[in-house]
Structures are given as C-alpha cells and as structure tokens.
Amino acid sequence: MMLITFWLCLALICYVYLGYPILITTLGWLRQRHVRAGSIYPEVSLIVCAYNEADVIGRKIENCLSLQYPADLLEVIVVNDGSTDGTQEVLKQYADRPGVKILDSPFRQGKAAAMNRAAAVAKGEVFVFSDARAIYRVDSLKKLVRNLRDPEVGCVNGNRTLYKNKSPIFGSERSYWSYEAYIKTMETQCGSTVSVSGAMIAIRASLFEPIPANLILDDAYLALQTLRKGFRVVYEPAAICFQSSASSTRDEALRRQRITAGRFQMLFNARELWPWNDKFAIFELLSHKIMRLFLPFFSAGLFVSSAALVLSPDTPEMALLVFEGQLIFGILALGGWISEKFGWNLGFLGISYYIASGNLASLSGFIRYSKGRHTVLWEKARRAE
C-alpha cells in the first residue's frame, strides 16, 4: 500500500510541476492556434476598483489618462469601495476631469460588487479591469485590445511584470510569474488559457454578466464566463503592466490563501461555473489549477510513504533518494525562512521557501474555505516599493 501511495504521489507532483508544462508545450507546438490580431480601436471602459489606495490612486488615474489610446474612445471609471484612508478625498480631485467617472460607495461590499457597479454604467464595447497598483506601459492598452480583432477571442489577459525592488522574495516571485507566463503562452497556442490576472484583463462588453456577489475570484469568473460562451481567452505578453512584489512571504501567503479558497469555491460549484462545452479547457483547468490545490496532500503522502519505505527491510532505492531529497528541500526552505527573518539575501534558498510557503498557504486556504471563513472582501498584501 505504501509503495502504491509513494509512486502515485510522486507521479502527481511531477506532473503538476513538470509534466503539464512539457505536455502543454508539445500540444502548443502541434496545435498552433494563432490569434488573428490587428490594430483596432474599440471604445474602452477602463475600470479600477479601489479600497484604501490613497497613496497610489492618483498616480493610477494619471497613468490611465496617459495611455496611447484615443481620448474620445477611452473612459476611466474608478469605484471607491468604502475606503477609510482618504482615497475618497483624492478621487474628488478628479471628479470633473474629462474622461474620468468616479463612483463612490460609503460601505465596503467587495470587489465583485464594485466591478458590477462600474460595468452597469460603462459605455465601452470593451471592459478592461485593473488593480489600483498596476501601472500600465503606455502602449499596453492598444496591444491588449488588438487581440479582439479576432472574432473568436472574447477575453484577453495582459502581462503582469514586477518592478525590481528590495523585497526578499522578489527573485522567487519573479521566477514564479515567468513560469506562469510561459504556461499561459503555451495554453493560448492550444486555443485558450485558463489562468488570468486581475491586474489587466479585457472582456467584450457583450460577454460580461454580473459577477455573483459571493464569488471570491472575480478574474477567474470572467475567463470561465467567456469560455462557457464559446469564445477564446488569450494571453498577450506584449501588454505589460508593472506591480511591486509582496513585501514578505507572509504577505504573499495571504494572497495565496485567498486564491486557494476561491479555487475550492469554483471546484465545489463546477457544474454552474466550469466551461463544460470546451473539453480541452477542462483538461487545462484540472492540470493547471485544480491539481495544484492538492499539492500539500500529495507532498504529505509522499513524505509519509517514503519515510515508511525507508524504515522497511527492503527499501527501494528511489524511495530513499526521494526521502533524502525532501529532507534537503525542507532544510533549504528552513534556511530561506531564517534568512528572511534576519533580512539576509535569500538567493537560491528563496525558491524552496517560496514553494514550501505556497503549499502551506494552499493548505491554510483549504481549511479557511472548509470552515466557511472565506470572504469576498479582498485582503491586500503589502507591496514593496
């Protein structure tokens, strides 16, 4: 029994981290579904939802207005979701600014409610949703919407890039996002990606439907909604926005916990939310997103089974190698934790610590969801500047 558990857990972990990226790369080369992109300028509503963003919201609005896009075809809608830090006072300065519309909510209702409120008054043919702390490169908007020249494309996700900063996890987080960007590129070549970031996501207004009030992952909902309606979701690496990395592993863990809770919510509501009309997208969803939810359990199963096999009379050589590898990985992750505590450069220790903390955050997110402690009110991770 332990031998079966060992090989099963090892195979599942290897598939998630290595097998799926290799498989989707191969399929991307074979399928080669290109996007028929071209220069177009639809009317765009750029929507920013803000909660306690007084320190950045002015800069964000100025950034939106500076984009290389016809001013008469761009409206900027900012929704203040019950901020208590002076965000409302900053927004008052833009109330009469041409091309800017301010919506104020005295009570915090969550990002989904804020997005719905903005979409209800938006006039654009395309809705672009953005985070307040995501700064767009000046040519990003036109490069984002050019993909919508292809009538099969319904949703486009931009390239979230990290500012170089002094955060101890900058290198690890940058590596993770580069890994994700590669997978999204290959998925797009296969037809559609199932991974999107709320920092820069465009959707045809005709495809948008109000996001359920209790939903945690609004960006994932937009992508699944598009796929359910038979349209493609694609990744545009040339549409770049910049954000700072999390200030610490703990801050990043807060984000991962919320994402995990949201994915479990979507898993348990798969009948209503998943794009069952697109079998390949279901395969991507399971391989790219859902199996990652169970990595803490696969890892625990591998550790227990390999330890049991090492203690048995006839220890398989592979079990011994894997057990020793896990111990080394754990020591490296512990070294990363100690290095961060003392403010040292994490270096290569950061990757092990980032992966280990991510799995622990996923486990915490699962517990949080199973106990009903999840919430649609997003918890902001502190960002390094």
Side-chain angles (χ1 to χ4, degrees):
M1 183 63 183
M2 282 297 173
L3 190 59
I4 294 173
T5 302
F6 170 79
W7 283 111
L8 180 61
C9 290
L10 180 61
L12 290 170
I13 292 171
C14 288
Y15 177 75
V16 172
Y17 285 124
L18 295 173
Y20 177 65
I22 293 171
L23 179 58
I24 202 67
T25 297
T26 304
L27 292 172
W29 288 342
L30 293 173
R31 292 172 70 106
Q32 289 288 325
R33 284 194 65 188
H34 298 293
V35 178
R36 291 166 289 174
S39 181
I40 58 169
Y41 290 93
E43 189 172 356
V44 171
S45 296
L46 205 169
I47 297 168
V48 181
C49 300
Y51 170 69
N52 285 358
E53 303 285 7
D55 58 328
V56 297
I57 195 62
R59 181 188 178 199
K60 174 62 178 178
I61 296 174
E62 295 294 346
N63 172 242
C64 293
L65 295 174
S66 69
L67 297 176
Q68 293 175 353
Y69 205 83
D72 59 326
L73 297 176
L74 174 65
E75 68 169 348
V76 179
I77 303 175
V78 183
V79 186
N80 175 32
D81 188 36
S83 297
T84 58
D85 70 335
T87 297
Q88 184 179 14
E89 284 66 35
V90 177
L91 291 178
K92 285 179 180 178
Q93 301 173 25
Y94 293 91
D96 298 321
R97 191 78 170 264
V100 178
K101 184 178 296 183
I102 307 298
L103 303 179
D104 185 62
S105 174
F107 304 105
R108 193 177 180 198
Q109 298 175 305
K111 192 174 181 181
M115 291 169 69
N116 290 340
R117 186 177 177 192
V121 300
K123 299 176 181 178
E125 303 166 66
V126 176
F127 297 162
V128 176
F129 294 98
S130 177
D131 293 338
R133 293 181 180 270
I135 299 301
Y136 287 12
R137 201 167 72 176
V138 291
D139 62 351
S140 61
L141 186 56
K142 63 182 182 182
K143 288 186 175 180
L144 189 73
V145 301
R146 68 184 179 183
N147 293 272
L148 295 171
R149 181 177 179 274
D150 188 332
E152 294 183 348
V153 174
C155 180
V156 190
N157 193 216
N159 181 359
R160 180 181 184 270
T161 302
L162 296 179
Y163 286 119
K164 187 171 183 178
N165 53 56
K166 295 181 179 179
S167 168
I169 68 166
F170 167 74
S172 302
E173 193 173 352
R174 180 178 60 178
S175 297
Y176 169 75
W177 282 108
S178 297
Y179 171 78
E180 274 295 292
Y182 176 78
I183 294 176
K184 290 197 283 190
T185 299
M186 292 299 105
E187 288 179 338
T188 296
Q189 286 189 196
C190 289
S192 289
T193 181
V194 292
S195 178
V196 294
S197 165
M200 184 193 287
I201 183 169
I203 185 172
R204 295 182 188 273
S206 58
L207 298 180
F208 180 86
E209 292 180 359
I211 303 166
N214 66 335
L215 203 74
I216 300 172
L217 299 182
D218 44 81
D219 47 5
Y221 179 80
L222 294 179
L224 296 182
Q225 180 185 81
T226 301
L227 291 167
R228 285 199 310 273
K229 294 186 177 182
F231 288 81
R232 294 177 65 185
V233 177
V234 302
Y235 172 65
E236 175 53 82
I240 296 174
C241 70
F242 298 95
Q243 280 188 313
S244 298
S245 60
S247 295
S248 66
T249 304
R250 183 180 179 279
D251 288 294
E252 175 65 6
L254 285 174
R255 187 186 72 87
R256 299 284 284 273
Q257 287 172 14
R258 181 176 181 274
I259 289 173
T260 299
R263 287 181 185 164
F264 272 110
Q265 183 186 50
M266 289 197 157
L267 175 60
F268 291 121
N269 292 277
R271 179 178 293 182
E272 297 82 19
L273 298 177
W274 286 22
W276 297 105
N277 54 304
D278 189 335
K279 298 300 185 287
F280 195 83
I282 294 295
F283 157 71
E284 290 179 326
L285 197 58
L286 289 170
S287 299
H288 191 170
K289 296 298 181 183
I290 303 306
M291 288 184 68
R292 287 188 186 182
L293 294 175
F294 298 96
L295 280 172
F297 305 102
F298 299 157
S299 299
L302 183 65
F303 183 79
V304 171
S305 60
S306 60
L309 290 170
V310 165
L311 296 174
S312 66
D314 300 312
T315 303
E317 187 175 344
M318 179 58 79
L320 180 59
L321 288 173
V322 169
F323 183 70
E324 291 174 344
Q326 290 175 99
L327 291 179
I328 293 171
F329 177 84
I331 292 171
L332 292 175
L334 180 61
W337 177 75
I338 293 172
S339 296
E340 186 178 40
K341 288 294 181 183
F342 284 92
W344 301 335
N345 187 347
L346 298 186
F348 70 93
L349 299 175
I351 297 293
S352 300
Y353 182 37
Y354 190 83
I355 293 172
S357 64
N359 283 333
L360 288 173
S362 293
L363 181 61
S364 176
F366 167 72
I367 294 171
R368 180 176 174 176
Y369 179 77
S370 63
K371 290 185 175 181
R373 286 166 28 203
H374 57 283
T375 173
V376 296
L377 303 179
W378 71 98
E379 298 170 67
K380 296 194 305 175
R382 289 181 303 144
R383 295 281 166 187
E385 300 299 338

